[in-house]
Amino acid sequence: MLECGPAPAPQDLCSHQESLSMVAAPSDGFHGSQWRSTCLLPTEEQKRDVGHPGRATLDESLGDRSPWEEELLGQIRAMSDSQRSRVLEAIQHRIEEHTQVITIPGGSSGLGLQLPRAGHWGPSTVFCLQLLWKEVADPGIRELLAPLNLEPQQPVEKAFLFLVYGLILRECASSDLVRRHLMRLLELSHQTAGQREGMAVASGIASSSHLQEVWATLEHLGRTRVLRTACTSPDYQEPYADVHWRWVSSTSLLCYGHMALHAGEHILPWVDNVISRMVYYFSCSCYDNILETSFLSAAVMLVKALKQEHSTRRYRFTQIPELIQCLLAILQKEPNFLATLFRQKIILVIMELSKLRPSLKPVVKSRILQTCLQSLYMLPPMEMLKSCLPPLDLAPDVMVLYQKSMQALDLLLQTFISENKSMDEMCFLLQHTEPWLKSDKSHECKRVVQTIFLLLKYVVDYVKLTDEATPSMLGHQIGLLMLLWRDRDPVTQSHSRQCIYLLLQLLIQQKGSMGQFMHLNKMKNFEAKALRRSEMKFYNLVKALDRSLTPAQHTQLILTLLGGLCSHDHLQCDLASQLVLMIFQNQSIKVEQVAEILQGLFQELPSIVFKNILQTMMKAVTMLGTQHTQETVEVMLSLCHPSERQVLPLWKALASNNQLARKVLMLLYMKLKLRPPKELVRLSQQAELISLLALGTIYELLYTREYKATVRWAFAGILVGLLTQLHYLFELDVVEGISDYQEDSLEVKPLSPCRTCLEALKGLFWTTNYWEVFAYLQLLRGWELFEHLETYTEGVTLLARAMAHYDCEVKAVLGQAVISLKSSEERDNIVAILVITEFLNSQELTQYMSRRAMDNFLSLGLSSPNQLVRAMSLKGLTSILMDPKKVVLLRNQLAGLLDSFMGPEPQDLMGLMEILGDILHSLGTQGIGATSIRMAQHLLSLFEDEQAPVRGGAISLFGDVVHSGGKKYRPALKRQAFQALVPLLFHLVDSCPAVVMKTKLTFLRCAILLKWEFRKELFGKLAWGHGLGAENDIFIYMVESNFGSYHQFLMQALIYLGSPHKNLKRMAMKFIGLLYRPLLFPEEGRPENLQEILGGPEEGLRLREPQILPELSGRHH
């Protein structure tokens, strides 16, 4: 790990100039082997450029002048233009003559390179001044050079000649002479780095006095040479004549850099033009190492020139983003190892450019940050950096290179925040670290957290943020750092915690709260003393964040932690879940945060990998629901359609607390009642009605085990709510799909609103174990009455009658009905009065409400604007319960009707049975006493009537009669029910479907009265069973529930062997086949498995009466 020291002080910001000076001279970057992204082996060009000694002279020449240089300038100024011209020509001649080249076969790229002849790779050619001395024949010029006291044997670098050339051009008064000789110089070969830099130095020196002439010459060079050779492919086998122009664009870039460096106070008027040419030549030239090196050198010189000009801060530049983009392009091409300081140099140049005006746009800053962070963070881990280097003659100190590069990045970030001292800028910078904070690679995460720590430390210590902005994304960035608190790398752990403390400190400084600041310091001290008590540290930090963050920031923090739940790293998932749980336990969630938090959790739920994490989050949801129940329910209703069920785990979480579950159902009931009038509901909005979402949710919760007890508790409210909701849907005319539902279909389709409501109504009775009421309506096809508005009231009446008969939540439902009767909504009044009038026949009603109270409520209904409500109220007021005197009258009327009914030839038998049924219903709890036994016996004889309507009517009325005798006569009526079992069993296959339907209900009512063991299972087979399997199961339920009664059953069944109805006869033979074995072999006892006997019911079909009777007679007489 490379430890970073403390953040530099503000005055240290200028310390980077030392680093920048390393690249100030064009010679930098050529000391030692250069490695670029375009090649992994050194080119011959690179080898020749290594250790070029003349470049130091070039840079030094720009500083203070030596005595001999002053003397040289004096001599040059004393010369005439003609003398100067001859010296320039001599220098040109010597440079051109001694720049000899040899052709080297192409290397790995297949390119033939033409390089200067040299004793070894790298150093530039060395000349002796003697060459120039002999070339100059003019004695006057010899006098010019004589004062330098240079011996003929003393070597002088070639760069000196370019320096003299530039000085002479600078002192020339003739613009034509300057243009002519500068153009001749630029027409020399551009192959070697020394030659290119020499030309650039001469051009730069000349431009200090002849800026326009030098600019015009470079423009001409650009048009005639640069653009002509710019797009030549490096793979192209160029002819010899074109080789020396190949890098002319690099020479031009260096020329512009030196022009800027020598422009002085004239730089600003020309700077945008210079930058535009640099950008253009870089963009249109073939990219290689030489081009990028030249461009970077030019950019460094430009930045140095701008730093020396004091008016730069007031100037508005136009080409800075384009220049930065070129630098970023170079940075992106850097190889994924460290061998040079190119990364550092580029970042430092960009840093200086970012200080210029106008300020960089966010999109440019964003591009800078993305590129710089990627270039440094994606480097191999520290322990691998050195091993990643290719073979080098002199291996660099990788640690130093890495440290300098990271320091440059730190300076860049510090510059950005210093230029814009705001919390918004801080968040902007941190935003670009997010991909690396989420990285799965430990070294990348470690680097970015270290960078953030140093930036925050610098801001806390030296920068005072100027605004009180509260960007919400700060919470997100805090959350990302919190997720690293359990990172496997201890350094990352430590830095991430310190980053949180520093961010908290910034927030507290913004608010100016001294008390919170002192508390934060105590927390930091506590952490140092109690490193092992991590949970306590977390709790204290969570509390501090809750106090310091705005609701928007707090929400983003939680959403980020929720995102951490989906990691495949269990440590991080567990940390995220525990932090969220702590935040919820702290009760710091505001009402306005609930929606975003729940939506975020809902999106993450499917991606959570670990079961214990999911359980922890369900605990958190329970806490949130306890604190903000209404808001939680409203948001959960909006997350998705209830039928999709992805939200069901959240609803289950709210049921873990009994009181909370009750609140939830109460709120859903209230939402169910939010029913805007049809006139205000557009067709496109129907599916989004809150009442429909509440309806769908209630339907799902009915079948959720966690809500079973709560649904039972809220039974009455849910029932009345569903009944009125169905009526409301009829009002909206949303009836599509209500009659198309198929219970036995395996295809899963979303239910329509009306069908959902009806299925919820049915499910309410089934899931609360009031299955008798469900069965009553199912076997009478009463649920179908709810499918149409015309029969809706009949359905409600039948349902209320079944509830009264089986004493199903009568007290609670009556209370809800009374409330609904007082409602201003007509649909509520209709449902209420229908329920109340039927409940008047309940045996228990008087225990719940007095006659006077009931009279008041019914009288209230008489004033209703609805005709049905008025009529039903009147009917209720005339009921037996409200007028007990009618009992005697009805019983007297019943006695007369029974005489006619039981006579030898009764007239209108169907009408009589209908009237008798109405009287039984009207008498309700009063019953008919002993008369019920007579009626049951007579009705039993009508089961075999030839007319199907008579059979059906008798069977249906029989079911009412056996329940109308009261407790005193119940044993006798049970015996009558037992006698009816076999006939009813056989009539389950009656030829008339209407008779079959009534038989099923009466058969079930008898089973309930006799308290069979498998009553609910029996109903299932009666309602939905088909074929031989269903018949066998019904046989089993009947025989198992009446063990020891086989003989009686057999005697009754034998009668039906002579029935003219084939269905009944066949059914009797099957049943006798079932009973045959235990009767013939009683010593075998009760069959262990009746299904084995029923396995071949065809045996029963083959039994004949002559075979059975003798054997039975012999055993039972």
Short mmCIF file of all heavy atoms in Angstrom, two decimals, residues 867-902:
data_model
loop_
_atom_site.label_atom_id
_atom_site.label_comp_id
_atom_site.label_asym_id
_atom_site.label_seq_id
_atom_site.Cartn_x
_atom_site.Cartn_y
_atom_site.Cartn_z
N GLN A 867 -86.83 3.30 -3.73
CA GLN A 867 -88.08 2.54 -3.55
C GLN A 867 -87.82 1.18 -2.91
O GLN A 867 -88.58 0.74 -2.04
CB GLN A 867 -88.76 2.36 -4.91
CG GLN A 867 -90.08 1.60 -4.83
CD GLN A 867 -90.73 1.44 -6.20
OE1 GLN A 867 -90.20 1.94 -7.20
NE2 GLN A 867 -91.86 0.77 -6.25
N LEU A 868 -86.73 0.52 -3.31
CA LEU A 868 -86.43 -0.80 -2.77
C LEU A 868 -86.15 -0.71 -1.27
O LEU A 868 -86.60 -1.56 -0.48
CB LEU A 868 -85.22 -1.40 -3.49
CG LEU A 868 -84.72 -2.75 -2.96
CD1 LEU A 868 -85.80 -3.82 -3.11
CD2 LEU A 868 -83.45 -3.18 -3.69
N VAL A 869 -85.42 0.31 -0.85
CA VAL A 869 -85.11 0.48 0.56
C VAL A 869 -86.39 0.69 1.35
O VAL A 869 -86.58 0.11 2.44
CB VAL A 869 -84.13 1.66 0.76
CG1 VAL A 869 -83.89 1.91 2.25
CG2 VAL A 869 -82.81 1.38 0.06
N ARG A 870 -87.31 1.50 0.82
CA ARG A 870 -88.57 1.74 1.52
C ARG A 870 -89.39 0.46 1.63
O ARG A 870 -89.95 0.14 2.69
CB ARG A 870 -89.39 2.81 0.78
CG ARG A 870 -88.75 4.19 0.78
CD ARG A 870 -89.75 5.27 0.40
NE ARG A 870 -90.35 5.04 -0.91
CZ ARG A 870 -89.86 5.47 -2.06
NH1 ARG A 870 -88.71 6.16 -2.06
NH2 ARG A 870 -90.48 5.23 -3.20
N ALA A 871 -89.45 -0.29 0.53
CA ALA A 871 -90.25 -1.52 0.53
C ALA A 871 -89.69 -2.56 1.50
O ALA A 871 -90.43 -3.20 2.26
CB ALA A 871 -90.29 -2.10 -0.88
N MET A 872 -88.37 -2.71 1.48
CA MET A 872 -87.76 -3.69 2.37
C MET A 872 -87.87 -3.25 3.83
O MET A 872 -87.99 -4.09 4.74
CB MET A 872 -86.30 -3.90 2.00
CG MET A 872 -86.08 -4.53 0.63
SD MET A 872 -86.93 -6.10 0.42
CE MET A 872 -86.07 -7.10 1.61
N SER A 873 -87.82 -1.95 4.09
CA SER A 873 -88.00 -1.46 5.46
C SER A 873 -89.40 -1.79 5.95
O SER A 873 -89.60 -2.21 7.11
CB SER A 873 -87.76 0.06 5.51
OG SER A 873 -86.44 0.37 5.11
N LEU A 874 -90.35 -1.61 5.08
CA LEU A 874 -91.74 -1.93 5.45
C LEU A 874 -91.91 -3.43 5.70
O LEU A 874 -92.58 -3.85 6.65
CB LEU A 874 -92.68 -1.48 4.32
CG LEU A 874 -94.19 -1.63 4.59
CD1 LEU A 874 -94.60 -0.80 5.81
CD2 LEU A 874 -94.99 -1.18 3.37
N LYS A 875 -91.27 -4.24 4.87
CA LYS A 875 -91.33 -5.69 5.07
C LYS A 875 -90.71 -6.08 6.40
O LYS A 875 -91.23 -6.95 7.11
CB LYS A 875 -90.58 -6.38 3.92
CG LYS A 875 -90.57 -7.89 4.04
CD LYS A 875 -89.79 -8.52 2.88
CE LYS A 875 -89.73 -10.04 3.04
NZ LYS A 875 -88.94 -10.67 1.96
N GLY A 876 -89.62 -5.42 6.76
CA GLY A 876 -88.99 -5.71 8.03
C GLY A 876 -89.85 -5.34 9.20
O GLY A 876 -89.91 -6.06 10.22
N LEU A 877 -90.57 -4.21 9.09
CA LEU A 877 -91.44 -3.77 10.18
C LEU A 877 -92.62 -4.72 10.39
O LEU A 877 -93.20 -4.78 11.49
CB LEU A 877 -91.93 -2.35 9.90
CG LEU A 877 -90.88 -1.24 10.04
CD1 LEU A 877 -91.41 0.07 9.50
CD2 LEU A 877 -90.45 -1.08 11.51
N THR A 878 -92.98 -5.46 9.35
CA THR A 878 -94.13 -6.39 9.45
C THR A 878 -93.67 -7.83 9.71
O THR A 878 -94.47 -8.76 9.60
CB THR A 878 -94.94 -6.35 8.15
OG1 THR A 878 -94.10 -6.69 7.04
CG2 THR A 878 -95.52 -4.96 7.92
N SER A 879 -92.39 -8.02 10.02
CA SER A 879 -91.88 -9.36 10.25
C SER A 879 -92.35 -9.90 11.60
O SER A 879 -92.88 -9.17 12.44
CB SER A 879 -90.35 -9.35 10.21
OG SER A 879 -89.85 -8.56 11.27
N ILE A 880 -92.20 -11.21 11.82
CA ILE A 880 -92.59 -11.87 13.06
C ILE A 880 -91.86 -11.26 14.25
O ILE A 880 -92.45 -11.08 15.33
CB ILE A 880 -92.28 -13.37 12.98
CG1 ILE A 880 -93.15 -14.04 11.92
CG2 ILE A 880 -92.47 -14.05 14.33
CD1 ILE A 880 -94.62 -14.04 12.24
N LEU A 881 -90.57 -10.94 14.07
CA LEU A 881 -89.79 -10.40 15.16
C LEU A 881 -90.36 -9.06 15.64
O LEU A 881 -90.39 -8.78 16.85
CB LEU A 881 -88.33 -10.22 14.73
CG LEU A 881 -87.37 -9.71 15.79
CD1 LEU A 881 -87.21 -10.75 16.91
CD2 LEU A 881 -86.02 -9.39 15.19
N MET A 882 -90.82 -8.24 14.71
CA MET A 882 -91.35 -6.93 15.05
C MET A 882 -92.81 -7.00 15.45
O MET A 882 -93.32 -6.09 16.13
CB MET A 882 -91.16 -5.97 13.86
CG MET A 882 -89.72 -5.84 13.39
SD MET A 882 -88.57 -5.34 14.69
CE MET A 882 -89.21 -3.73 15.08
N ASP A 883 -93.50 -8.06 15.02
CA ASP A 883 -94.93 -8.22 15.35
C ASP A 883 -95.18 -9.67 15.74
O ASP A 883 -95.65 -10.48 14.93
CB ASP A 883 -95.78 -7.82 14.13
CG ASP A 883 -97.27 -7.75 14.49
OD1 ASP A 883 -97.61 -7.96 15.67
OD2 ASP A 883 -98.07 -7.50 13.57
N PRO A 884 -94.91 -10.07 16.97
CA PRO A 884 -95.02 -11.47 17.40
C PRO A 884 -96.43 -12.04 17.29
O PRO A 884 -96.60 -13.27 17.27
CB PRO A 884 -94.57 -11.42 18.87
CG PRO A 884 -93.76 -10.17 18.98
CD PRO A 884 -94.38 -9.21 18.04
N LYS A 885 -97.45 -11.20 17.24
CA LYS A 885 -98.84 -11.69 17.15
C LYS A 885 -99.07 -12.49 15.87
O LYS A 885 -100.00 -13.30 15.81
CB LYS A 885 -99.80 -10.52 17.21
CG LYS A 885 -99.77 -9.75 18.53
CD LYS A 885 -100.73 -8.58 18.48
CE LYS A 885 -100.68 -7.77 19.80
NZ LYS A 885 -101.59 -6.61 19.78
N LYS A 886 -98.27 -12.28 14.90
CA LYS A 886 -98.47 -12.97 13.62
C LYS A 886 -98.12 -14.46 13.70
O LYS A 886 -98.46 -15.23 12.81
CB LYS A 886 -97.61 -12.32 12.53
CG LYS A 886 -98.12 -10.95 12.11
CD LYS A 886 -97.29 -10.44 10.94
CE LYS A 886 -97.86 -9.11 10.45
NZ LYS A 886 -97.11 -8.60 9.29
N VAL A 887 -97.44 -14.86 14.76
CA VAL A 887 -97.02 -16.26 14.88
C VAL A 887 -98.23 -17.18 14.91
O VAL A 887 -98.30 -18.20 14.21
CB VAL A 887 -96.16 -16.46 16.14
CG1 VAL A 887 -95.84 -17.94 16.33
CG2 VAL A 887 -94.90 -15.62 16.06
N VAL A 888 -99.22 -16.82 15.71
CA VAL A 888 -100.43 -17.65 15.83
C VAL A 888 -101.18 -17.71 14.50
O VAL A 888 -101.63 -18.78 14.07
CB VAL A 888 -101.34 -17.10 16.94
CG1 VAL A 888 -102.64 -17.91 17.04
CG2 VAL A 888 -100.61 -17.08 18.26
N LEU A 889 -101.29 -16.59 13.84
CA LEU A 889 -101.99 -16.54 12.56
C LEU A 889 -101.31 -17.45 11.52
O LEU A 889 -101.97 -18.20 10.79
CB LEU A 889 -102.06 -15.11 12.04
CG LEU A 889 -102.89 -14.12 12.89
CD1 LEU A 889 -102.76 -12.70 12.35
CD2 LEU A 889 -104.37 -14.54 12.90
N LEU A 890 -99.99 -17.35 11.47
CA LEU A 890 -99.26 -18.14 10.48
C LEU A 890 -99.36 -19.64 10.80
O LEU A 890 -99.48 -20.47 9.88
CB LEU A 890 -97.80 -17.71 10.44
CG LEU A 890 -97.52 -16.36 9.76
CD1 LEU A 890 -96.06 -15.97 9.92
CD2 LEU A 890 -97.87 -16.43 8.26
N ARG A 891 -99.30 -19.99 12.05
CA ARG A 891 -99.39 -21.40 12.40
C ARG A 891 -100.78 -21.96 12.08
O ARG A 891 -100.91 -23.10 11.63
CB ARG A 891 -99.07 -21.60 13.88
CG ARG A 891 -97.57 -21.52 14.16
CD ARG A 891 -97.27 -21.72 15.62
NE ARG A 891 -95.82 -21.75 15.84
CZ ARG A 891 -95.24 -21.77 17.04
NH1 ARG A 891 -96.00 -21.76 18.14
NH2 ARG A 891 -93.94 -21.81 17.15
N ASN A 892 -101.81 -21.16 12.33
CA ASN A 892 -103.17 -21.59 11.97
C ASN A 892 -103.30 -21.77 10.46
O ASN A 892 -103.90 -22.73 9.97
CB ASN A 892 -104.20 -20.57 12.47
CG ASN A 892 -104.28 -20.56 13.99
OD1 ASN A 892 -103.95 -21.55 14.63
ND2 ASN A 892 -104.72 -19.44 14.56
N GLN A 893 -102.70 -20.82 9.73
CA GLN A 893 -102.73 -20.93 8.26
C GLN A 893 -101.97 -22.16 7.80
O GLN A 893 -102.38 -22.86 6.87
CB GLN A 893 -102.14 -19.66 7.65
CG GLN A 893 -102.26 -19.61 6.13
CD GLN A 893 -101.64 -18.35 5.55
OE1 GLN A 893 -101.00 -17.60 6.28
NE2 GLN A 893 -101.85 -18.10 4.27
N LEU A 894 -100.86 -22.45 8.47
CA LEU A 894 -100.05 -23.61 8.12
C LEU A 894 -100.82 -24.91 8.34
O LEU A 894 -100.74 -25.83 7.51
CB LEU A 894 -98.77 -23.62 8.97
CG LEU A 894 -97.81 -24.80 8.75
CD1 LEU A 894 -97.26 -24.77 7.33
CD2 LEU A 894 -96.67 -24.75 9.74
N ALA A 895 -101.60 -24.97 9.43
CA ALA A 895 -102.37 -26.19 9.71
C ALA A 895 -103.37 -26.47 8.60
O ALA A 895 -103.53 -27.62 8.15
CB ALA A 895 -103.07 -26.04 11.06
N GLY A 896 -104.04 -25.43 8.13
CA GLY A 896 -105.00 -25.63 7.04
C GLY A 896 -104.32 -26.06 5.75
O GLY A 896 -104.82 -26.93 5.02
N LEU A 897 -103.21 -25.46 5.47
CA LEU A 897 -102.49 -25.82 4.25
C LEU A 897 -101.95 -27.25 4.32
O LEU A 897 -101.91 -27.96 3.30
CB LEU A 897 -101.33 -24.84 4.03
CG LEU A 897 -101.72 -23.41 3.64
CD1 LEU A 897 -100.52 -22.51 3.66
CD2 LEU A 897 -102.38 -23.39 2.25
N LEU A 898 -101.54 -27.68 5.50
CA LEU A 898 -101.02 -29.04 5.62
C LEU A 898 -102.10 -30.09 5.34
O LEU A 898 -101.81 -31.15 4.78
CB LEU A 898 -100.45 -29.26 7.03
CG LEU A 898 -99.04 -28.71 7.27
CD1 LEU A 898 -98.63 -28.90 8.72
CD2 LEU A 898 -98.05 -29.38 6.35
N ASP A 899 -103.35 -29.79 5.75
CA ASP A 899 -104.44 -30.73 5.46
C ASP A 899 -104.59 -30.92 3.97
O ASP A 899 -104.78 -32.04 3.47
CB ASP A 899 -105.74 -30.21 6.07
CG ASP A 899 -105.71 -30.25 7.60
OD1 ASP A 899 -104.91 -31.05 8.14
OD2 ASP A 899 -106.45 -29.48 8.24
N SER A 900 -104.51 -29.81 3.24
CA SER A 900 -104.62 -29.92 1.77
C SER A 900 -103.39 -30.60 1.19
O SER A 900 -103.47 -31.41 0.26
CB SER A 900 -104.76 -28.52 1.16
OG SER A 900 -105.91 -27.88 1.64
N PHE A 901 -102.22 -30.27 1.74
CA PHE A 901 -100.95 -30.79 1.22
C PHE A 901 -100.85 -32.31 1.41
O PHE A 901 -100.35 -33.03 0.54
CB PHE A 901 -99.80 -30.07 1.91
CG PHE A 901 -98.44 -30.54 1.49
CD1 PHE A 901 -98.00 -30.40 0.19
CD2 PHE A 901 -97.58 -31.17 2.40
CE1 PHE A 901 -96.75 -30.84 -0.21
CE2 PHE A 901 -96.35 -31.61 2.02
CZ PHE A 901 -95.92 -31.44 0.71
N MET A 902 -101.34 -32.78 2.55
CA MET A 902 -101.20 -34.20 2.85
C MET A 902 -102.43 -35.01 2.45
O MET A 902 -102.50 -36.21 2.73
CB MET A 902 -100.95 -34.39 4.36
CG MET A 902 -99.64 -33.79 4.83
SD MET A 902 -99.38 -34.06 6.58
CE MET A 902 -97.85 -33.17 6.82
#
